């Protein structure tokens, strides 16, 4: 068994287009997207992934039609309620990142319950970003640290490990205000696959591509010195 150490972050894009292409309402794509989340969480430990951070709802997504927002919020709540027991069995710790003050109370309650129930799990950390904006997170950390800010204090206040591999599905190639600080040296992998179609083979292909990359973190290869 490989040592689990990777932090993989995923921008799960393409739900709406996936549904529209089938003549279905966009929310059908989000429902299928929730199944893809289950598949990826299940496959992650076998690929030496220790932390999985999933972009489920950005702070800008509040601008979507209210009915779509309501469906997404319900899906998050249902996911947390239905998956928590399985997560405990499989050693999956759930954590939700982002603002909580704008979430409905019953979702906040489901988040608190899932986080408490899985707090002792240590095989895989699943971080779900809801009402998340990297710029806001950075701004809040900067405001709270003030003049005493230093890199290490800043990182620890943000509370998310550096990302090794960032995957974006759905064919778009942008960061969309996701983990801007934590992705400083992330390898980025864009795939045209729509999120509802993403499966463990796609995740394995992305991780294999990551392992083939030469990560230098600004340094040069030893053999090239001179
Ligand atoms: C982006 O696709 C996807 C979202 C904004 C929502 C992500 C939500 C899920 C995958 C559902 C469930 C998640 C959890 C954690 C249970 P889009 O709607 O922007 O697609 P489009 O670009 O094709 O319109």
């Amino acid at each position: 068994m490989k040592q689990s150490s990777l932090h993989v972050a995923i921008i799960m894009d393409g739900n709406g287009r996936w549904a529209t292409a089938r003549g279905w309402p966009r929310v059908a794509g989000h429902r299928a997207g929730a199944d893809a989340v289950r598949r990826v969480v299940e496959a992650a430990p076998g690929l030496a992934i220790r932390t999985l951070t999933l972009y489920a709802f950005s702070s800008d997504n509040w601008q979507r039609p209210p009915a779509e927002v309501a469906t997404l919020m319900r899906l998050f709540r249902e996911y947390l309620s239905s998956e928590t027991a399985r997560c405990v069995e499989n050693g999956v710790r759930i954590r939700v990142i982002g603002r909580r003050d704008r979430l409905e109370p019953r979702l906040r309650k489901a988040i608190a319950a899932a986080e408490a129930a899985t707090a002792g799990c240590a095989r895989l950390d699943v971080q779900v970003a809801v009402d998340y904006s990297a710029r806001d997170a950075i701004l809040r950390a900067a405001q709270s640290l003030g003049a005493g800010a230093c890199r290490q204090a800043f990182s620890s206040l943000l509370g998310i490990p550096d990302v090794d591999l960032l995957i974006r599905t759905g064919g778009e190639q942008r960061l969309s205000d996701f983990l801007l600080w934590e992705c400083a040296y992330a390898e980025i992998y864009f795939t045209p696959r729509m999120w509802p179609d993403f499966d463990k083979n796609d995740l394995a292909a992305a991780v294999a591509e990551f392992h083939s990359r030469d990560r230098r973190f600004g340094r040069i290869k030893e053999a090239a010195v001179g």
Side-chain angles (χ1 to χ4, degrees):
M1 174 80 183
K2 284 177 261 175
Q3 198 202 341
S4 294
S5 60
L6 286 184
H7 179 188
V8 174
I10 308 183
I11 301 176
M12 309 180 287
D13 196 11
N15 293 351
R17 279 167 288 158
W18 181 89
T20 305
R22 286 160 178 75
W24 298 341
R26 291 176 53 81
V27 294
H30 296 317
R31 270 192 288 275
D35 294 335
V37 169
R38 287 186 193 95
R39 289 197 295 270
V40 162
V41 168
E42 213 171 282
L47 293 165
I49 295 171
R50 177 68 181 79
T51 306
L52 194 58
T53 305
L54 305 171
Y55 206 4
F57 191 85
S58 78
S59 296
D60 287 323
N61 287 151
W62 290 114
Q63 296 165 58
R64 293 190 176 204
E68 181 172 341
V69 171
T71 300
L72 280 167
M73 295 299 153
R74 202 185 62 235
L75 273 177
F76 300 150
R77 193 159 40 82
E78 286 171 1
Y79 181 88
L80 292 169
S81 320
S82 70
E83 293 303 303
T84 298
R86 198 138 60 110
C87 285
V88 172
E89 268 169 39
N90 293 301
V92 177
R93 180 175 187 170
I94 299 179
R95 193 180 155 218
V96 173
I97 59 170
R99 284 179 66 162
R100 297 218 182 158
D101 57 303
R102 298 189 287 196
L103 303 181
E104 48 186 36
R106 56 191 174 162
L107 176 56
R108 286 209 294 265
K109 227 168 126 183
I111 292 171
E115 288 182 336
T118 61
C121 298
R123 188 160 162 251
L124 173 70
D125 285 343
V126 173
Q127 311 192 104
V128 184
V130 179
D131 195 0
Y132 176 85
S133 154
R135 283 181 167 180
D136 280 359
I138 290 168
L139 196 61
R140 267 182 279 123
Q143 284 165 342
S144 83
L145 284 173
C150 69
R151 251 192 211 205
Q152 211 177 357
F154 211 87
S155 291
S156 89
L157 200 64
L158 287 170
I160 299 168
D162 279 355
V163 173
D164 296 301
L165 170 64
L166 174 71
I167 299 171
R168 182 173 188 142
T169 62
E172 309 287 357
Q173 305 196 352
R174 53 177 170 263
L175 296 179
S176 300
D177 201 10
F178 190 43
L179 303 176
L180 299 180
W181 176 276
E182 296 83 354
C183 280
Y185 278 100
E187 296 297 325
I188 304 186
Y189 181 90
F190 296 114
T191 167
R193 182 86 76 216
M194 298 293 149
W195 176 252
D197 288 330
F198 197 84
D199 64 15
K200 71 171 195 224
N201 294 327
D202 296 309
L203 184 63
V207 170
E209 160 80 24
F210 166 82
H211 287 300
S212 77
R213 304 245 181 119
D214 181 22
R215 300 186 86 195
R216 295 189 299 277
F217 300 95
R219 298 185 289 260
I220 57 170
K221 278 183 161 176
E222 261 171 49
V225 174

